[in-house]
Amino acid sequence: MSISYVILHYKNLNDTIKCIESLLRTTNNDSNLIVVDNGSGDGSGEKLKKKYQDMPQIKVLLLENNVGFSKGNNAGYIYVKKNYDSDFIVVTNNDVVFYQKNFEETIKKIYAQSQFYVLGPDVYIPRHKDHQNPLFKTPINKQQLINEIKEYKYYRKNPLKFEKRLKIHALKNRLCSKYKVINFLYSTLRGKDVLDYKKRYENVGLQGSCLIFSKKFIMKEDKAFEPEPFLYEEETFLFYRCQKKSYKMVYDPSIAIRHEEAASFTNANKDNIQRLKFMLNHHVKAREELLKYLEKEEL
């Protein structure tokens, strides 16, 4: 079985090299690595192309403009579909580190057991000591989405308050990952699903920093992400899409990666207020797009 990896790169050269090198240590020689430079415009994509030009298993695609998370990843996914007969496509952020020596063997083992369409690994953030997967069992509904849009519009006018919220959110995730009792109490109080990253789940929302698409998905779908928001809510769109088409989604903690969260994003937006405003603007846009999608599905 052959496996291809799509790595979305934007400006942060060191993180992308770290991701590639981690894959070279953990993958088989016949695996393909497709790096998509998402219109960085700083020469980092060209540097990657030159650095790996003598390695046939690594291909660097240079996009003229930054087309966002969904379209950037889709460019790599489409390239793999056209040029390789891959059994699995792993779509990953450039700030992900692969350390599991049996990563590919574990993918094949999980597929043999579950026949998944999309697989999500245990996603660990060292900075926060937090596990990001699985995201949810019950996706956001229309009213919750409307409330979130109002909330993010408020934060868009008050970005520093949003920064405080992010810190509190990181602390909450850290405590919920570490202590089952706190996770249970928080989830119950907030009306959320009680999810344990140590347990296997089927048909749950999967975190987007690393997603594994099987041949079942690849044969039927021309794109990994559709619709294509610029940033955020890709996982929710993917969940609804898979749910509608009865595509099995699996979270399995026996496969794991390390996520050096938001490294490329921080590098691209050194000014904190600018960074926060950029995030909040796309939080609102993505949720408005998701709301339209859900309303259309009801018709």
Side-chain angles (χ1 to χ4, degrees):
M1 286 190 174
S2 62
I3 299 180
S4 292
Y5 296 80
V6 173
I7 305 165
L8 189 63
H9 166 77
Y10 185 70
K11 292 190 176 183
N12 198 315
L13 186 63
N14 291 336
D15 273 1
T16 302
I17 291 173
K18 189 176 179 181
C19 177
I20 293 170
E21 296 300 323
S22 73
L23 282 168
L24 292 176
R25 290 191 297 269
T26 55
T27 59
N28 295 322
N29 292 331
D30 58 348
S31 298
N32 303 296
L33 279 61
I34 311 303
V35 181
V36 180
D37 173 43
N38 201 8
S40 295
D42 62 352
S44 57
E46 288 80 2
K47 288 178 182 177
L48 287 168
K49 195 162 189 173
K50 184 177 180 180
K51 181 177 177 65
Y52 296 107
Q53 63 184 351
D54 296 326
M55 301 184 72
Q57 74 269 42
I58 300 177
K59 176 72 176 179
V60 179
L61 307 180
L62 303 176
L63 304 186
E64 290 186 9
N65 302 302
N66 181 358
V67 295
F69 181 90
S70 296
K71 287 185 178 180
N73 277 310
N74 281 341
Y77 176 91
I78 291 167
Y79 181 87
V80 171
K81 277 201 69 170
K82 287 183 178 178
N83 293 277
Y84 305 103
D85 183 22
S86 299
D87 295 289
F88 302 97
I89 299 177
V90 181
V91 175
T92 181
N93 284 16
N94 70 324
D95 56 355
V96 163
V97 173
F98 295 82
Y99 60 87
Q100 200 172 354
K101 293 293 185 183
N102 64 341
F103 185 81
E104 295 189 338
E105 291 305 316
T106 305
I107 290 175
K108 296 168 187 177
K109 182 179 178 182
I110 295 170
Y111 181 74
Q113 294 169 343
S114 66
Q115 298 291 298
F116 67 81
Y117 277 73
V118 189
L119 172 66
D122 175 16
V123 180
Y124 178 65
I125 303 178
R127 187 163 56 125
H128 298 152
K129 297 181 180 178
D130 171 29
H131 295 262
Q132 291 184 302
N133 251 342
L135 280 182
F136 55 77
K137 191 182 293 182
T138 306
I140 193 168
N141 59 42
K142 273 182 60 180
Q143 188 55 54
Q144 291 170 329
L145 200 51
I146 290 168
N147 294 339
E148 281 198 1
I149 291 169
K150 290 179 181 178
E151 185 179 16
Y152 279 108
K153 283 183 176 179
Y154 167 78
Y155 283 125
R156 191 164 60 180
K157 295 178 181 178
N158 304 275
L160 292 180
K161 290 185 178 181
F162 180 65
E163 185 176 39
K164 291 180 181 178
R165 174 191 154 157
L166 287 177
K167 291 177 181 178
I168 294 170
H169 185 71
L171 176 61
K172 180 269 297 179
N173 285 349
R174 179 177 176 177
L175 292 172
C176 287
S177 288
K178 190 172 183 181
Y179 302 106
K180 283 187 178 181
V181 173
I182 293 177
N183 184 34
F184 177 81
L185 290 173
Y186 173 81
S187 299
T188 303
L189 287 171
R190 297 281 291 178
K192 295 180 178 289
D193 301 311
V194 180
L195 297 169
D196 183 354
Y197 77 90
K198 295 179 181 178
K199 295 182 179 179
R200 180 186 179 278
Y201 293 92
E202 289 190 359
N203 298 320
V204 291
L206 301 173
Q207 208 273 341
S209 62
C210 183
L211 292 164
I212 301 152
F213 298 91
S214 74
K215 194 79 167 181
K216 282 176 172 282
F217 186 98
I218 298 165
M219 289 178 68
K220 293 182 179 180
E221 299 296 327
D222 293 330
K223 296 179 180 179
F225 301 103
E226 194 174 17
E228 299 173 304
F230 188 90
L231 189 64
Y232 303 126
E233 295 302 322
E234 304 87 0
E235 301 103 333
T236 311
F237 277 117
L238 180 63
F239 177 85
Y240 275 116
R241 182 173 160 212
C242 288
Q243 189 180 53
K244 181 181 179 181
K245 297 184 177 183
S246 298
Y247 293 171
K248 184 186 286 188
M249 303 180 79
V250 172
Y251 165 71
D252 195 313
S254 68
I255 190 167
I257 54 105
R258 192 167 74 243
H259 187 195
E260 310 288 346
E261 189 186 36
S264 60
F265 187 86
T266 303
N267 181 72
N269 299 271
K270 293 179 180 178
D271 180 77
N272 195 42
I273 298 295
Q274 179 189 349
R275 178 179 67 88
L276 291 169
K277 286 182 177 179
F278 178 88
M279 290 172 64
L280 290 161
N281 190 42
H282 285 290
H283 271 299
V284 172
K285 284 184 176 180
R287 281 162 175 77
E288 288 177 338
E289 190 172 344
L290 179 58
L291 182 60
K292 289 179 182 178
Y293 176 84
L294 294 180
E295 289 173 340
K296 185 179 178 180
E297 289 300 306
E298 288 180 349
L299 298 177

